[in-house]
Amino acid sequence: TQLLEQSPQFLSIQEGENLTVYCNSSSVFSSLQWYRQEPGEGPVLLVTVVTGGEVKKLKRLTFQFGDARKDSSLHITAAQPGDTGLYLCAGPSSGGSNYKLTFGKGTLLTVNP
Amino acid sequence: EADIYQTPRYLVIGTGKKITLECSQTMGHDKMYWYQQDPGMELHLIHYSYGVNSTEKGDLSSESTVSRIRTEHFPLTLESARPSHTSQYLCASRATGTTGELFFGEGSRLTVL
């Protein structure tokens, strides 16, 4: 089973600060996804990264896929209280059209006003 | 916007009761999944289906069962609920031929007394 380790597990910051959270594995992934989950809701996909070294931006969020496709990072600039939530990375457990997703344990982010 | 619905959102029942958690999607997705998640924690895959009449057990052993008689419907059943089944259950679906994006329902929070 391919494992995804996320760090930090918990992060509490003030509005306006920058932050980076990480998703690491000893295995190579064909792609990685980042989801955000708000309390009482299901996770929602933020981005999919496919190519090693790829950088994607979504407003104040910047996602990077490692060159070796074993790790990924999410950087948030000028965090806002609306960014509060559980950030989960996920990657396919096996190849082919019938694959499942393995999730990391997540980073619980709290942005205080 | 994803069209996947779970009912009930919240359920409190006594030990020994039979319960069914409903999940329906209107996107015509072939693949559907059930995940179990404790508050703020990682998602564990407990069941998945690749299409009608196809069901498989996931990575986390579960005493629940599922069925897939229609494409849009993927209910989960517990024949005799126990306090250890207390958790949040998330249903998700995915279309064939995508890069694996999962669309989640809002979840069913089950409490067994």
Side-chain angles (χ1 to χ4, degrees):
Chain A
T1 302
Q2 296 171 297
L3 296 178
L4 287 166
E5 297 185 358
Q6 292 190 243
S7 61
Q9 187 175 357
F10 302 97
L11 186 58
S12 181
I13 62 171
Q14 293 299 122
E15 183 175 0
E17 293 183 6
N18 302 332
L19 66 113
T20 302
V21 298
Y22 301 92
C23 174
N24 296 300
S25 176
S26 58
S27 303
V28 175
F29 284 87
S30 57
S31 64
L32 278 179
Q33 297 178 332
W34 285 90
Y35 291 80
R36 180 171 67 206
Q37 183 179 22
E38 298 184 12
E41 305 291 331
V44 176
L45 179 69
L46 295 173
V47 77
T48 300
V49 286
V50 178
T51 306
E54 181 178 7
V55 177
K56 282 191 173 180
K57 292 192 175 184
L58 185 64
K59 296 184 180 178
R60 294 176 293 100
L61 279 60
T62 301
F63 303 85
Q64 186 164 5
F65 200 12
D67 291 339
R69 292 185 287 129
K70 292 183 177 181
D71 56 85
S72 182
S73 63
L74 159 59
H75 181 80
I76 301 179
T77 303
Q80 299 177 1
D83 295 326
T84 293
L86 179 67
Y87 288 81
L88 296 156
C89 68
S93 300
S94 59
S97 61
N98 293 333
Y99 72 71
K100 305 169 287 184
L101 280 183
T102 295
F103 281 83
K105 291 185 177 182
T107 293
L108 188 58
L109 172 66
T110 303
V111 182
N112 302 299
Chain B
E1 186 173 319
D3 293 313
I4 180 165
Y5 308 99
Q6 291 186 240
T7 58
R9 289 291 308 276
Y10 303 94
L11 181 61
V12 181
I13 60 169
T15 297
K17 299 292 186 182
K18 177 181 178 179
I19 65 111
T20 296
L21 304 180
E22 302 287 350
C23 177
S24 295
Q25 50 97 4
T26 59
M27 297 172 283
H29 288 171
D30 292 329
K31 304 196 176 35
M32 297 189 73
Y33 306 80
W34 277 102
Y35 286 87
Q36 185 175 340
Q37 182 187 35
D38 291 326
M41 301 294 288
E42 65 191 302
L43 281 72
H44 293 285
L45 181 66
I46 52 175
H47 297 284
Y48 57 101
S49 167
Y50 297 144
V52 172
N53 296 323
S54 154
T55 61
E56 301 285 344
K57 289 192 177 294
D59 303 321
L60 181 68
S61 176
S62 174
E63 294 170 343
S64 58
T65 59
V66 292
S67 63
R68 189 87 182 276
I69 298 173
R70 291 181 288 141
T71 297
E72 62 271 21
H73 196 212
F74 191 41
L76 180 146
T77 298
L78 275 167
E79 291 292 334
S80 180
R82 296 204 302 268
S84 61
H85 296 138
T86 294
S87 190
Q88 167 148 282
Y89 294 84
L90 288 162
C91 180
S93 72
R94 170 184 161 258
T96 300
T98 69
T99 55
E101 293 88 342
L102 285 177
F103 295 93
F104 284 87
E106 294 182 309
S108 293
R109 177 160 297 284
L110 173 65
T111 302
V112 184
L113 304 176

